[in-house]
Amino acid sequence: MKQIIAMGGGGFSMEPDNKRLDRYILKQSRADRPRVCFIPTASGDADGYIERFYTAFQSENCEPTHLSLFSPPEHLESFVEQQDIFYVGGGNTKNLLALWKEWGLDVLLKKAYEDGKILAGLSAGSLCWFEEGVTDSFGPLAKLDCLGFIAGSHCPHYDGEQERRPAYHKLIANGLKAGYAADDGAGLHFVNGELHTVVSSRENAKAYFVEFNGENVNEQELEPLFLK
């Protein structure tokens, strides 16, 4: 079973006192004590971000570690093979994709995904899995081509940044593929490439399927399961 959990925002870095989304990710693993690898590439491996990850996950039923491409493990492929969950942090998606491709991490993560390892993340760590989407990686919000593990487009932070919704609508109307928008606190759980469940850590967090019908951009609200 191939799984991706794409969060518009939230998790330990945005909601340190609300572990609902992070615990949901952990529960999807078949491992009794899953090995969770944080990948902070998009933030330039910011030390504070990595520290917050360990603070959040060391008290959970898992074995946390992280992967730095600025000081990588000696055997990157075997390191990746040993993990159960990959949790990708936010930051600059364009830089993330460039570094992953340079190191071949995109290929290793695709194999891990096909082998049943869980891919998850928020913001850049959510956008990266789709074919394309909305990013501010190089200035004003614009289209970015991504990895294509999930068909269609994506827009994170849908309610968290005022300009996100109108930018996504404009890009969809101008040819961006139909896709999924997620508020901060909302997670899109894909199984075998299809949307399986929408979950939320906040009662008002929502997700949407957004498409252009030839005349107008339409939003279909996706009812989330509020995690308790």
Side-chain angles (χ1 to χ4, degrees):
M1 185 168 67
K2 299 185 292 186
Q3 299 187 75
I4 292 177
I5 302 169
M7 300 178 287
F12 73 91
S13 61
M14 293 184 67
E15 300 178 313
D17 298 322
N18 183 348
K19 293 190 173 185
R20 292 184 176 97
L21 286 172
D22 294 340
R23 287 173 176 164
Y24 179 81
I25 292 169
L26 293 176
K27 288 178 182 177
Q28 307 318 305
S29 176
R30 296 176 180 175
D32 292 334
R33 187 173 171 81
R35 291 162 291 189
V36 184
C37 178
F38 180 50
I39 307 180
T41 315
S43 68
D45 288 356
D47 290 339
Y49 204 178
I50 296 169
E51 290 170 5
R52 293 202 303 277
F53 165 74
Y54 281 108
T55 298
F57 280 83
Q58 281 175 339
S59 60
E60 300 297 320
N61 181 37
C62 65
E63 296 181 17
T65 188
H66 75 281
L67 172 59
S68 169
L69 293 180
F70 293 88
S71 54
E74 184 176 356
H75 302 290
L76 180 59
E77 183 173 359
S78 61
F79 176 86
V80 170
E81 289 175 350
Q82 293 168 13
Q83 311 307 316
D84 298 303
I85 299 171
F86 297 91
Y87 190 128
V88 182
N92 189 303
T93 316
K94 186 174 178 66
N95 288 350
L96 173 153
L97 293 170
L99 280 169
W100 283 10
K101 289 176 182 178
E102 180 67 25
W103 284 91
L105 183 58
D106 57 334
V107 176
L108 295 178
L109 288 174
K110 182 67 176 297
K111 182 179 184 301
Y113 171 59
E114 292 172 345
D115 288 343
K117 308 300 178 70
I118 296 171
L119 307 181
L122 76 156
S123 191
S126 176
L127 173 59
C128 65
W129 312 120
F130 291 80
E131 289 183 283
E132 56 190 22
V134 183
T135 185
D136 58 2
S137 294
F138 38 86
L141 289 168
K143 173 187 173 182
L144 180 68
D145 293 326
C146 301
L147 294 173
F149 294 6
I150 302 173
S153 67
H154 179 52
C155 181
H157 302 305
Y158 206 49
D159 69 335
E161 299 175 6
Q162 186 176 4
E163 67 275 18
R164 288 276 174 168
R165 181 180 254 113
Y168 194 38
H169 281 213
K170 182 178 180 180
L171 288 167
I172 291 279
N174 289 325
L176 190 75
K177 293 181 179 181
Y180 298 89
D183 290 348
D184 291 341
L188 302 158
H189 185 179
F190 292 85
V191 175
N192 297 328
E194 301 293 332
L195 184 64
H196 174 66
T197 309
V198 178
V199 295
S200 71
S201 61
R202 308 174 187 176
E203 291 189 6
N204 60 344
K206 298 177 181 179
Y208 305 85
F209 181 74
V210 186
E211 62 182 345
F212 184 60
N213 65 7
E215 296 183 359
N216 301 297
V217 175
N218 294 328
E219 286 184 353
Q220 176 189 348
E221 186 175 319
L222 305 173
E223 187 68 27
L225 170 67
F226 178 62
L227 301 171
K228 297 182 179 179

